[in-house]
Structures are given as C-alpha cells and as structure tokens.
Amino acid sequence: MKQLVLDTSGGAATSCACVFPSLGALFVARGDAVFSYDPVEGNMSGMPMDSDTVMLKNFNSYFVAVTTEAQPSMQPFSAMSPAPPSSTPKQVVTVILAQKGMRFIAYSSQLPDVVHVVIGLGSIFVISRGGADGNTVLFELKEKLLAERLDILVKKRMFEWAAEVAMKSGAAAEVTADIYRQHGDALFEKRAYDQALAIYAKTVDLGLPLEPSYVVERYLDAQRIGHVAQYLKKLHEKELAEPEHTALLLKCYTKLKDVSTLE
C-alpha cells in the first residue's frame, strides 16, 4: 500500500471530511474553506465558505456544508434597545454542486442548532433542535427534477453551466442543443456575432441536433456573409453538410471574393 501525503497543513475535524465518488476526490473542510484532494495530484482546489464549516457530507454530485453563522458587523438595534442574546445557536446549511471545473451554490438556508445531516432515500435530511421549546425538527431537502434545474440556470443566464449539467446528467441531445441555441441567441441579440457563432458551432462539434438553416438564416438576415461561410465550413469539416450547404458556401466565397478558397 502506497502512503500519500496530501497536505501537511493539517487534517480535518470530526464530520468535516467526505469521499466524493463522482470526482474521485476527498473533500476536507478546514476553517472557512472546503478543499478537494486527488490521490495523484494532491490538493486540487479550495472553495471559500462564509464562515467555519462544522459538518460536511456528500450527496450525489453535491456536497453539503454546515457552517456557523457569520456575525454581522452592525446590529440593527439602538443603544437604548440592545439586541437580546440568542439562546439557540444557528448554522447555515449550503448545498453546492461540484463537478469538474464547476462549483456553484444550489441551495442555502439558515437553520437553528443543526445537530446532524443524514443522506438517504434520495434526499438530504437535516436534524435540528430549533423547534418550539427546543424540540427536534427534521427537514428534508429534495433535488429538483432536471428540467426544473436547467430552467433555473437558463433564466439566470448561466448557459454554460446549464449545458454542462444537462450533458453530465444524461439529458437528451435536443435539450442540450436548445440550451446552446438560447445562449447563441442571447449573444446574437447583443450583436456579439463572433461569440454567438462560437456557441452555435459547439452544437456542430458535439453532434447536437440544431437545424443548420436556423443559424444560416439568422446571419443572412443580418447580412453577415463571413459568419455564414464560417458556419458552413464547420459543417463540411464535420461531414454534416448537405448539397445545398455546399452550394451556399460557394456563393458566400464568391460574394466575399475569396478567390484562394474557390481555387
């Protein structure tokens, strides 16, 4: 058995480490950050948290972090009316999607006196002593359906992450293609024609079903002949071009007076 020293700066407190199978990594919470360790590369990355993490769990492609509540620097009470001391400690439960090259907060909420987090039955269960008269309360957090998750990301204009989640979650190719279409459309409407074309071209590179005539007509209407030629060339490179695409490409080169390419 080979011994590998991942980090010499210290280990993890109780309940502050978990294995992350989908990334083949070990996650360790230390202070106000969560670190990701690879058995070969060692410390790969660190994600800052708002305050010290006291509990860490893995759930599918997420990790669940329970952090102590950060104290505000200014209290909304006057000197004549001091803030009453809190008798119930509060923590923040944060659920973070962790995929290669991508980390974002999927859920976050303040809960009183969290004592345990249990993963099971396809849900995250949070046990808290914050009920009336200090009674124990069980909260269940359930992952939204994929369609709902993608809709939220697209509405937030987080197109790249939406496409990444769609592909890694096994969504139909049509779903991913539509996300790229919406991303390209958003850039096109801003007249960011080069960036839009790069996004539309991704559907060609990935073999996604976006109708070429949709892209071609958009750029023809905007009289962007050079962009049409680039897109049609990409279709030919991937052997996805139809005869009409070849004819249109030749017309574009003629209009652009690209003699060298025609020859």
Side-chain angles (χ1 to χ4, degrees):
M1 180 180 294
K2 179 182 177 182
Q3 181 178 358
L4 176 65
V5 178
L6 295 175
D7 196 335
T8 58
S9 59
T14 303
S15 301
C16 286
C18 66
V19 175
F20 210 95
S22 62
L23 291 178
L26 173 69
F27 278 35
V28 175
R30 194 163 59 247
D32 58 355
V34 175
F35 299 92
S36 171
Y37 295 94
D38 179 89
V40 176
E41 298 179 14
N43 189 350
M44 294 190 298
S45 63
M47 181 168 181
M49 307 299 292
D50 289 335
S51 53
D52 288 353
T53 301
V54 296
M55 201 177 303
L56 191 67
K57 295 283 185 177
N58 166 247
F59 172 70
N60 295 339
S61 294
Y62 304 87
F63 67 86
V64 185
V66 180
T67 57
T68 55
E69 181 187 18
Q71 296 297 322
S73 56
M74 296 286 289
Q75 295 290 342
F77 298 97
S78 66
M80 298 295 293
S81 178
S86 174
S87 59
T88 305
K90 293 185 175 67
Q91 288 87 30
V92 176
V93 177
T94 306
V95 183
I96 299 169
L97 179 66
Q99 293 181 346
K100 190 172 182 179
M102 179 170 57
R103 304 279 192 278
F104 69 82
I105 296 173
Y107 171 86
S108 184
S109 179
Q110 185 188 81
L111 294 175
D113 199 6
V114 176
V115 295
H116 203 44
V117 175
V118 179
I119 307 299
L121 303 176
S123 296
I124 301 168
F125 295 95
V126 181
I127 302 172
S128 163
R129 282 198 290 252
D133 300 322
N135 292 331
T136 300
V137 181
L138 179 66
F139 297 93
E140 181 183 7
L141 306 179
K142 294 184 70 70
E143 185 179 30
K144 291 181 180 291
L145 296 174
L146 177 61
E148 295 179 80
R149 303 199 314 264
L150 296 178
D151 186 57
I152 290 170
L153 291 172
V154 168
K155 285 180 177 176
K156 290 178 176 290
R157 318 288 276 187
M158 300 167 72
F159 298 107
E160 288 287 353
W161 284 2
E164 191 75 14
V165 169
M167 288 188 288
K168 290 188 176 180
S169 300
E174 290 80 5
V175 172
T176 308
D178 191 59
I179 293 171
Y180 279 124
R181 179 193 61 77
Q182 292 182 70
H183 190 186
D185 288 352
L187 292 167
F188 192 95
E189 288 164 9
K190 294 179 180 179
R191 297 187 178 183
Y193 298 118
D194 291 342
Q195 294 93 321
L197 185 65
I199 297 300
Y200 290 135
K202 280 189 176 182
T203 63
V204 179
D205 289 329
L206 297 172
L208 298 173
L210 177 63
E211 181 58 46
S213 61
Y214 177 84
V215 180
V216 170
E217 288 173 9
R218 295 216 75 180
Y219 279 98
L220 284 177
D221 290 343
Q223 297 184 341
R224 312 293 298 189
I225 305 301
H227 290 85
V228 174
Q230 290 179 52
Y231 182 74
L232 292 173
K233 182 182 178 183
K234 174 71 73 174
L235 288 177
H236 281 80
E237 289 173 351
K238 296 296 180 179
E239 299 182 351
L240 297 172
E242 300 291 339
E244 57 266 29
H245 297 143
T246 303
L248 181 56
L249 179 58
L250 293 174
K251 288 181 180 179
C252 288
Y253 285 145
T254 301
K255 205 158 192 175
L256 293 168
K257 297 180 180 179
D258 191 343
V259 179
S260 62
T261 303
L262 286 171
E263 291 176 348

